Amino acid sequence: MKVLVTAGPTREHLDPVRFLSNRSSGRMGYALAEAARDRGHDVVLVSGPVALPPPEGVEVVDVVSALDMLAAVSARLPWCDTLIMCAAVADWRPASCSAVKLKKRAMEAQLTLVPNPDILAELAPKKAGRLFIGFAAETHDLLAEAQGKLARKGLDLIVANDVTQPGAGFETATNIVTLVAPDAPPQPLPLMSKRAVADRILAWAEAKAASLPPRTPDPASRDL
Ligand code: CTP
């Protein structure tokens, strides 16, 4: 398979030294990229700013903001047959970004934000038989939230995790996830390493891809 993985947070800058972001470490996305590589797939990893070494044998595209990530993923979508959106994309960005450091005296007490595009929703019209896999990191109503996102974003699979559970979520080497697909009962997995979770997700994708009719590659994919 040709697997496009996103990982890490995005940063939404107010000025060259300040940004809005989130707690994503990139570990789950990097584990997915490494697992896909080791299972013999071609992998492109679009990564937000993280403190992890680039995986060998994987093309890494570094991005900063959600708009950068949208551009990088859109450009590579024609190449891939499986998109795994593991990145924690910031939903909002400052309405403007100053080219120079804002001085305290000149700053307002409130930030004006504008919504970022939803990358999965933007790409849904170009899905064309590809597998789209998303993540839902939640603190409450895990299955209802995940099932809502699965339907709204037109996904084949959503990987739901309750980030309040010890050993799950951000900045850990382990995760506790439930695989939620439209056509099957939710499949809860026990606490396991992020690498083992990645292998379970890829095994699901391989089985799903094998059950689908072969996809005609996009003409644009020849250019990549
Ligand atoms: N996602 C995306 N573009 C965004 C935000 C999220 O493609 N702007 C993707 C994430 O990579 C993930 C899935 O959508 O695979 C769910 O992300 P999440 O942040 O949980 O969903 P939201 O729709 O932002 O919902 P909310 O923040 O209200 O929980």
Side-chain angles (χ1 to χ4, degrees), residues 4 69-80 123 126 220-221 224:
L4 181 55
M69 187 169 278
L70 173 62
V73 174
S74 300
R76 285 154 186 87
L77 189 73
W79 166 83
C80 82
L123 297 181
K126 298 180 187 154
S221 66
L224 295 172

Short mmCIF file of all heavy atoms in Angstrom, two decimals, residues 4 69-80 123 126 220-221 224:
data_model
loop_
_atom_site.label_atom_id
_atom_site.label_comp_id
_atom_site.label_asym_id
_atom_site.label_seq_id
_atom_site.Cartn_x
_atom_site.Cartn_y
_atom_site.Cartn_z
N LEU A 4 -0.11 7.37 3.53
CA LEU A 4 0.18 8.76 3.91
C LEU A 4 -0.27 8.93 5.36
O LEU A 4 -1.44 8.72 5.67
CB LEU A 4 -0.59 9.69 2.97
CG LEU A 4 -0.45 11.20 3.12
CD1 LEU A 4 1.00 11.65 3.03
CD2 LEU A 4 -1.27 11.91 2.01
N MET A 69 -0.25 21.86 6.75
CA MET A 69 -0.55 20.41 6.71
C MET A 69 -1.56 20.11 5.63
O MET A 69 -1.43 19.13 4.88
CB MET A 69 -1.02 19.93 8.09
CG MET A 69 -1.17 18.42 8.15
SD MET A 69 -1.41 17.80 9.83
CE MET A 69 0.27 17.74 10.44
N LEU A 70 -2.59 20.96 5.52
CA LEU A 70 -3.59 20.76 4.46
C LEU A 70 -2.91 20.77 3.09
O LEU A 70 -3.19 19.91 2.25
CB LEU A 70 -4.66 21.85 4.53
CG LEU A 70 -5.68 21.86 3.39
CD1 LEU A 70 -6.50 20.56 3.36
CD2 LEU A 70 -6.62 23.06 3.50
N ALA A 71 -2.01 21.72 2.87
CA ALA A 71 -1.34 21.82 1.56
C ALA A 71 -0.48 20.57 1.30
O ALA A 71 -0.51 20.00 0.20
CB ALA A 71 -0.48 23.08 1.50
N ALA A 72 0.26 20.12 2.34
CA ALA A 72 1.16 18.97 2.16
C ALA A 72 0.36 17.68 1.91
O ALA A 72 0.73 16.86 1.07
CB ALA A 72 2.05 18.82 3.39
N VAL A 73 -0.73 17.52 2.65
CA VAL A 73 -1.54 16.29 2.49
C VAL A 73 -2.27 16.32 1.16
O VAL A 73 -2.32 15.32 0.44
CB VAL A 73 -2.51 16.12 3.69
CG1 VAL A 73 -3.44 14.94 3.49
CG2 VAL A 73 -1.72 15.93 4.99
N SER A 74 -2.80 17.49 0.78
CA SER A 74 -3.52 17.60 -0.51
C SER A 74 -2.59 17.24 -1.66
O SER A 74 -2.98 16.55 -2.60
CB SER A 74 -4.04 19.01 -0.75
OG SER A 74 -4.91 19.38 0.26
N ALA A 75 -1.34 17.73 -1.58
CA ALA A 75 -0.40 17.49 -2.69
C ALA A 75 -0.06 16.02 -2.83
O ALA A 75 0.21 15.55 -3.94
CB ALA A 75 0.88 18.29 -2.46
N ARG A 76 -0.08 15.28 -1.72
CA ARG A 76 0.32 13.87 -1.77
C ARG A 76 -0.86 12.91 -1.81
O ARG A 76 -0.66 11.70 -1.96
CB ARG A 76 1.24 13.55 -0.60
CG ARG A 76 2.62 14.13 -0.86
CD ARG A 76 3.42 14.42 0.36
NE ARG A 76 4.66 15.11 -0.01
CZ ARG A 76 4.77 16.44 -0.16
NH1 ARG A 76 3.71 17.23 0.01
NH2 ARG A 76 5.92 16.97 -0.51
N LEU A 77 -2.07 13.42 -1.68
CA LEU A 77 -3.24 12.53 -1.69
C LEU A 77 -3.31 11.69 -2.98
O LEU A 77 -3.58 10.49 -2.91
CB LEU A 77 -4.53 13.31 -1.48
CG LEU A 77 -5.75 12.41 -1.27
CD1 LEU A 77 -5.71 11.77 0.12
CD2 LEU A 77 -7.04 13.18 -1.46
N PRO A 78 -3.07 12.29 -4.17
CA PRO A 78 -3.19 11.48 -5.39
C PRO A 78 -2.26 10.26 -5.38
O PRO A 78 -2.58 9.23 -5.97
CB PRO A 78 -2.79 12.46 -6.51
CG PRO A 78 -3.04 13.81 -5.94
CD PRO A 78 -2.75 13.69 -4.47
N TRP A 79 -1.12 10.39 -4.69
CA TRP A 79 -0.14 9.30 -4.63
C TRP A 79 -0.63 8.13 -3.77
O TRP A 79 -0.34 6.97 -4.06
CB TRP A 79 1.19 9.86 -4.08
CG TRP A 79 2.16 8.81 -3.65
CD1 TRP A 79 3.04 8.12 -4.45
CD2 TRP A 79 2.35 8.30 -2.31
NE1 TRP A 79 3.76 7.22 -3.69
CE2 TRP A 79 3.36 7.32 -2.38
CE3 TRP A 79 1.78 8.61 -1.07
CZ2 TRP A 79 3.80 6.62 -1.25
CZ3 TRP A 79 2.21 7.91 0.04
CH2 TRP A 79 3.21 6.93 -0.05
N CYS A 80 -1.37 8.43 -2.70
CA CYS A 80 -1.62 7.40 -1.67
C CYS A 80 -2.88 6.60 -1.95
O CYS A 80 -3.75 7.01 -2.69
CB CYS A 80 -1.70 8.04 -0.28
SG CYS A 80 -3.29 8.76 0.13
N LEU A 123 -10.79 16.88 2.18
CA LEU A 123 -10.31 15.88 1.23
C LEU A 123 -11.37 14.84 0.89
O LEU A 123 -11.18 14.06 -0.04
CB LEU A 123 -9.05 15.20 1.78
CG LEU A 123 -7.86 16.14 1.99
CD1 LEU A 123 -6.67 15.38 2.52
CD2 LEU A 123 -7.49 16.86 0.70
N LYS A 126 -12.32 14.01 -2.60
CA LYS A 126 -11.27 13.38 -3.43
C LYS A 126 -10.91 11.99 -2.93
O LYS A 126 -9.88 11.44 -3.30
CB LYS A 126 -10.02 14.27 -3.42
CG LYS A 126 -10.26 15.65 -4.00
CD LYS A 126 -8.98 16.47 -3.94
CE LYS A 126 -9.29 17.90 -4.35
NZ LYS A 126 -8.36 18.85 -3.78
N ALA A 220 -2.63 12.07 -11.66
CA ALA A 220 -1.70 13.00 -11.00
C ALA A 220 -0.62 12.27 -10.20
O ALA A 220 0.44 12.81 -9.94
CB ALA A 220 -2.47 13.94 -10.08
N SER A 221 -0.89 11.01 -9.80
CA SER A 221 0.06 10.31 -8.93
C SER A 221 1.36 10.02 -9.67
O SER A 221 2.38 9.78 -9.06
CB SER A 221 -0.54 9.03 -8.39
OG SER A 221 -0.76 8.13 -9.43
N LEU A 224 4.35 12.37 -8.82
CA LEU A 224 4.95 12.45 -7.49
C LEU A 224 6.10 11.48 -7.33
O LEU A 224 6.17 10.49 -8.01
CB LEU A 224 3.88 12.18 -6.42
CG LEU A 224 2.78 13.24 -6.37
CD1 LEU A 224 1.67 12.79 -5.44
CD2 LEU A 224 3.33 14.58 -5.88
#
